[in-house]
Amino acid sequence: MKTVFSGIQPTGKVHLGNLLGAINNWVSLSNEESKNYFCVVDLHSLTTHPDPSKMQENIQETIKVLVSSGINQKNSKIYIQSNVPEHVQLSWILSNFCQIGELQRMTQFKEKSDQLGSHAGILTYPILMAADILIHKANEVPVGDDQTQHLELTRNIVERFNNAYTEYFPLPEKTSGKAGARLMSLRHPDNKMSKSNDDLNGTIYFDDSKDEIIKKFKSSVTDSENEIKFDIENKKGISNLIDIYSTLHDMSHEDVEIKFKNSSYGEFKIEVGETVVSYLEPLREKYESLSDGDISSLIRDHLDDVKDSAKKTMDEVSAIVGV
Ligand code: AQP
């Protein structure tokens, strides 16, 4: 049976990119024959120096969204990274199988160190991510396209560790949804949609109201033509809208182009906005029905299994490396 791991940072409100690029895929996998670990990676989020007074609220809110999205909890564990210290222990061991040059070449390191200053946490973050995946010996990692490089690095670490000792860790594979793997900002379609975008109008948050969503789509940046055509090089804005619409209607880009052949950009933007409103509505209703008590008891219920799995790996790895 395959083991799946994926994580999300509690750095702010969950957005449409997180949902279509990652969480929807988690929901599908949770209905398959697999053992799944979905983790709120609070230790990762420290790399951006978040406000400590907001941390617990963000963690609760993120877990509530995961539950509301419909993850099947029969075979899935949802937990908080810092509750399982084995992640950090394993990260230290794995750091001995990773080159400094590799870390410096990571696109996210270059981008984030420009924004935040290049502290060691931003550099070594991908090693902690490798430990997140390997602490449960996961072989499948459903993440958005922005994580491709980090997954490759994890695979390099696995190969080096296994060559040095014994074939212990599986080689994890990345899986992404067909579309929606990289949603772009509605205002700045060169940049990915993100929790921490400066321009809040570029991001659709899970709890945006209907009016806010329609307004954001109406003011989305497109181009000076009026042809609804998927062209990621020359028409980034409209391609992003086609991607969102096609993902939510399970249609190909070509079928979306045909359907809206005679529509204006303005009409199409409203259609995409309404599609997103209908998609988010049940999620928000479920979210509002959950209490903080529901989330606390879920965390308690899931934690024992997670700790057992992490401890088993850490005991075995300790024996392999001789500590
Ligand atoms: N725009 C996106 N399109 C598709 N997938 C995305 N993901 C993030 N943004 C997009 C995927 O969501 C999962 C959780 O991401 P994360 O919160 O751990 O980290 P992130 O990639 O740094 O997300 P944000 O929202 O952009 O946060 P900030 O602003 O804090 O950096 C991952 O699988 C990611 O691929």
Side-chain angles (χ1 to χ4, degrees):
M1 188 162 67
K2 70 183 173 194
T3 303
V4 172
F5 175 90
S6 201
I8 181 163
Q9 300 187 70
T11 36
K13 280 191 191 303
V14 173
H15 57 78
L16 194 63
N18 300 134
L19 287 161
L20 301 191
I23 298 171
N24 271 5
N25 212 1
W26 303 4
V27 175
S28 309
L29 285 163
S30 77
N31 288 312
E32 289 178 13
E33 188 72 10
S34 57
K35 184 146 183 65
N36 310 301
Y37 296 93
F38 299 123
C39 185
V40 177
V41 287
D42 54 345
L43 295 175
H44 279 287
S45 74
L46 296 180
T47 54
T48 61
H49 302 147
D51 179 349
S53 69
K54 301 229 170 76
M55 181 66 92
Q56 292 310 315
E57 190 186 321
N58 282 341
I59 290 173
Q60 284 271 331
E61 189 175 279
T62 306
I63 296 180
K64 259 193 207 177
V65 174
L66 296 185
V67 174
S68 311
S69 68
I71 290 175
N72 180 349
Q73 290 179 44
K74 279 207 189 87
N75 56 359
S76 308
K77 301 295 163 202
I78 298 174
Y79 71 104
I80 304 165
Q81 184 185 31
S82 61
N83 284 344
V84 184
E86 283 84 354
H87 283 251
V88 180
Q89 277 177 282
L90 182 59
S91 165
W92 171 251
I93 292 180
L94 298 180
S95 69
N96 299 294
F97 296 91
C98 183
Q99 304 295 317
I100 294 169
E102 282 177 305
L103 296 170
Q104 287 168 329
R105 282 195 294 278
M106 294 289 122
T107 313
Q108 282 207 359
F109 169 67
K110 291 182 199 155
E111 284 170 5
K112 294 212 163 164
S113 54
D114 281 349
Q115 291 161 18
L116 304 160
S118 53
H119 60 73
I122 298 182
L123 184 68
T124 57
Y125 169 111
I127 306 177
L128 182 57
M129 179 169 158
D132 298 337
I133 296 165
L134 298 174
I135 198 69
H136 302 297
K137 299 178 78 177
N139 31 32
E140 190 161 330
V141 189
V143 283
D145 269 1
D146 55 322
Q147 299 298 326
T148 306
Q149 256 193 333
H150 292 161
L151 229 286
E152 273 310 310
L153 184 76
T154 302
R155 289 165 62 87
N156 291 342
I157 292 174
V158 166
E159 281 177 344
R160 289 183 200 131
F161 182 95
N162 287 354
N163 282 338
Y165 298 104
T166 178
E167 282 293 315
Y168 179 71
F169 289 117
L171 208 51
E173 303 277 351
K174 166 181 174 288
T175 48
S176 293
K178 279 201 298 296
R182 186 185 287 248
L183 254 56
M184 309 312 278
S185 160
L186 300 184
R187 301 292 303 163
H188 307 279
D190 282 325
N191 303 334
K192 74 168 190 150
M193 189 179 284
S194 164
K195 296 194 205 80
S196 48
N197 268 347
D198 289 339
D199 190 342
L200 301 183
N201 289 324
T203 299
I204 301 289
Y205 296 100
F206 81 93
D207 63 349
D208 278 349
S209 69
K210 179 176 177 186
D211 288 352
E212 280 167 330
I213 294 172
I214 300 292
K215 198 165 148 215
K216 285 182 184 179
F217 276 101
K218 274 188 176 167
S219 65
S220 63
V221 170
T222 44
D223 52 69
S224 55
E225 297 171 11
N226 210 9
E227 191 191 8
I228 298 169
K229 188 168 171 22
F230 191 87
D231 177 351
I232 203 73
E233 290 301 320
N234 304 308
K235 293 164 79 72
K236 287 201 168 96
I238 206 74
S239 300
N240 193 34
L241 300 186
I242 294 175
D243 205 21
I244 294 170
Y245 189 91
S246 68
T247 305
L248 290 174
H249 286 281
D250 200 15
M251 283 168 78
S252 67
H253 293 156
E254 293 73 25
D255 286 345
V256 178
E257 287 171 3
I258 293 166
K259 181 167 178 188
F260 292 99
K261 194 161 58 98
N262 298 319
S263 305
S264 67
Y265 278 4
E267 287 161 344
F268 182 54
K269 286 177 181 181
I270 292 174
E271 284 284 335
V272 183
E274 283 179 347
T275 298
V276 171
V277 169
S278 311
Y279 163 68
L280 288 176
E281 213 162 59
L283 191 149
R284 218 179 20 246
E285 274 170 20
K286 174 82 183 148
Y287 180 92
E288 273 155 19
S289 74
L290 292 168
S291 69
D292 288 350
D294 294 331
I295 299 305
S296 307
S297 67
L298 177 145
I299 293 169
R300 266 196 311 277
D301 289 351
H302 287 209
L303 195 56
D304 281 351
D305 260 22
V306 178
K307 277 184 171 286
D308 285 350
S309 159
K311 183 173 182 316
K312 181 168 183 294
T313 305
M314 213 41 234
D315 286 350
E316 288 169 356
V317 169
S318 299
I320 290 169
V321 303
V323 293

